[in-house]
């Protein structure tokens, strides 16, 4: 009985903290306020010494709804734009290489971190793989977690305003709200596909299951319209809380010791992303804000859903982050041996 009361209290505190963050961010007029506000509110709860509780089924549901939102923006015209992406992906790959060169240089030569810790802390994404590798090396796991989590936190908190200020945010989908039967079909089909991807061991299976199934329905014009806004906001809020939970492993001592270093490392990575996003905007013609969200060195699910919250091209944003996730996940285990030579 006591355990149930503890869980219920943690659920209530998490919900109230997320709602408080959403209220403040909405009142301040921040873009993607539900996603960013829920994240900041949850992180503030942790900073106050309380715990965040997010049921795994609730988390997966939020990911699924975010995926449905992305897929509902797909049109045949959007799919035809895939011919623009090879050059963008090349620039994207160069931006990742630049981050993996310049951020470790700063962390080693200025902050004094060892080679392995600096290398893993600089990896732009694939947090699960990075932490799993870090746990099997001499790397300082708390520093790696701090650098990775702070980067994601700051991207989700700051990037929406940057995108909106540069005129990069998209416009809401013009095709209205999906009918009840269409919505049920999207949820059921996305859940089935997501479960299949989960069984295959794919990363972020629920968000991609929802996105792919919804994209097929909308791209073929079998379904018209997106999920209702209230459902989308619930999904974005859940994902925001999920991002906030990533700070649960960071102690106050580690936070104080590594905060300044991690912020500078984040700014270096963001500066590189901004530079290459500008190049993509000039050479390919994609909106700068859209390219910036696609090139941002954040978590797979968070950046894709952030793109959905800002009404950006889901194919463009999703493709880049999926490529980065798998690229980092495949490269890190093989290259960490080089980083160990300190």
């Amino acid at each position: 009985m006591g355990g149930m009361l503890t869980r219920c209290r943690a659920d209530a505190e998490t919900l109230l903290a997320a709602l408080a963050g959403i209220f403040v961010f909405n009142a301040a007029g921040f873009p993607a306020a539900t996603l960013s506000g829920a994240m900041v509110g949850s992180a503030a709860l942790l900073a106050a010494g309380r715990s965040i509780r997010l049921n795994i089924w609730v988390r997966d549901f939020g990911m699924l709804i975010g995926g449905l939102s992305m897929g509902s923006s797909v049109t045949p015209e959007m799919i035809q734009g895939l011919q623009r992406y090879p050059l963008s992906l090349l620039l994207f790959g160069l931006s990742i290489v630049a981050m993996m060169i310049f951020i470790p240089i700063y962390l080693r030569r200025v902050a004094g971190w060892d080679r392995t810790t600096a290398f893993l802390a600089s990896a732009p994404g694939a947090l699960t793989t990075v932490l799993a590798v870090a746990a099997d090396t001499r790397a300082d796991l708390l520093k790696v977690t701090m650098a990775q989590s702070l980067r994601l936190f700051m991207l989700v908190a700051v990037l929406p305003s940057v995108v909106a200020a540069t005129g990069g945010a998209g416009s809401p989908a013009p095709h209205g709200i999906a009918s009840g039967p269409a919505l049920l079909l999207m949820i059921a089909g996305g859940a089935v596909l997501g479960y299949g991807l989960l069984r295959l061991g794919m990363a972020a299976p629920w968000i991609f299951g929802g996105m792919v199934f919804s994209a097929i329905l909308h791209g073929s014009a079998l379904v018209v319209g997106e999920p209702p806004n209230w459902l989308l906001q619930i999904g974005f809020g859940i994902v925001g809380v999920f991002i906030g939970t990533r700070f649960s492993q960071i102690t106050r001592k580690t936070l104080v010791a590594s905060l300044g270093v991690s912020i500078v490392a984040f700014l270096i990575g963001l500066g590189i992303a901004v530079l290459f996003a500008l190049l993509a905007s000039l050479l390919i013609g994609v909106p700068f804000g859209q390219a910036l969200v696609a090139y941002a060195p954040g978590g797979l699910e968070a950046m894709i859903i952030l793109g959905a919250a800002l009404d950006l091209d889901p194919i463009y944003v999703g493709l880049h982050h999926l490529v980065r996730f798998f690229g980092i996940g495949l490269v890190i285990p093989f290259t960490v041996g080089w980083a160990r030579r300190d």
Side-chain angles (χ1 to χ4, degrees):
M1 187 67 177
M4 181 179 295
L5 289 176
T6 300
R7 290 192 295 271
C8 289
R9 183 169 61 248
D11 287 336
E13 289 181 349
T14 301
L15 176 62
L16 289 174
L19 290 175
I22 293 170
F23 175 80
V24 170
F25 272 58
N26 267 307
F30 282 98
T34 302
L35 177 67
S36 303
M39 178 197 67
V40 173
S42 301
L45 186 64
L46 283 174
R50 309 300 294 178
S51 60
I52 293 177
R53 176 175 158 80
L54 181 62
N55 184 280
I56 187 172
W57 296 104
V58 174
R59 180 202 67 188
D60 293 343
F61 177 75
M63 296 294 180
L64 176 63
I65 297 304
L68 295 180
S69 172
M70 294 160 50
S72 66
S73 300
V74 173
T75 63
E77 293 76 18
M78 193 179 295
I79 296 175
Q80 293 173 4
L82 285 170
Q83 61 185 359
R84 297 182 303 170
Y85 295 172
L87 178 56
S88 182
L89 288 170
L90 175 61
L91 292 173
F92 179 58
L94 292 175
S95 73
I96 293 176
V97 172
M99 291 178 194
M100 296 297 293
I101 291 175
F102 290 104
I103 296 177
I105 289 176
Y106 162 73
L107 291 176
R108 293 197 69 210
R109 297 185 180 179
V110 179
W113 291 16
D114 65 86
R115 186 197 297 267
T116 306
T117 300
F119 178 72
L120 292 173
S122 304
L127 180 63
T128 302
T129 301
V130 170
L131 293 183
V133 172
D136 198 36
T137 68
R138 295 179 300 153
D140 187 322
L141 189 58
L142 287 178
K143 285 183 178 179
V144 174
T145 303
M146 174 66 187
Q148 293 280 355
S149 299
L150 181 68
R151 181 170 62 231
L152 177 60
F153 181 90
M154 295 186 71
L155 283 172
V156 176
V158 175
L159 207 56
S161 296
V162 174
V163 173
T166 59
S171 301
H175 41 65
I177 306 302
S179 65
L183 179 61
L184 290 176
L185 175 61
M186 283 192 285
I187 293 175
V192 170
L193 181 55
Y195 180 75
L197 296 175
L198 175 68
R199 299 292 295 178
L200 292 173
M202 177 162 179
W206 300 106
I207 186 173
F208 278 104
M211 180 185 71
V212 171
F213 190 78
S214 179
I216 291 173
L217 292 178
H218 287 84
S220 59
L222 292 174
V223 167
V224 176
E226 65 178 1
N229 185 62
W230 62 265
L231 184 60
L232 295 180
Q233 297 308 313
I234 289 174
F236 294 153
I238 291 171
V239 175
V241 174
F242 171 65
I243 298 171
T245 64
R246 293 190 171 184
F247 282 79
S248 62
Q249 302 300 317
I250 299 176
T251 64
R252 292 185 181 182
K253 180 179 179 181
T254 304
L255 180 63
V256 172
S258 305
L259 182 60
V261 173
S262 297
I263 288 176
V264 175
F266 160 76
L267 292 175
I268 294 173
L270 181 61
I272 292 171
V274 167
L275 175 61
F276 280 90
L278 282 171
L279 288 175
S281 181
L282 292 172
L283 298 177
I284 305 168
V286 298
F288 168 73
Q290 180 170 294
L292 181 58
V293 173
Y295 284 29
L300 176 69
E301 301 97 329
M303 289 298 98
I304 291 178
I305 291 183
L306 177 59
L310 293 171
D311 296 302
L312 303 178
D313 183 338
I315 295 179
Y316 183 87
V317 174
L319 176 63
H320 285 72
H321 283 286
L322 183 61
V323 168
R324 176 179 51 76
F325 181 89
F326 281 110
I328 294 295
L330 290 172
V331 169
I332 287 292
F334 293 101
T335 55
V336 74
W338 166 83
R340 284 175 173 172
R341 299 198 308 269
D342 202 9

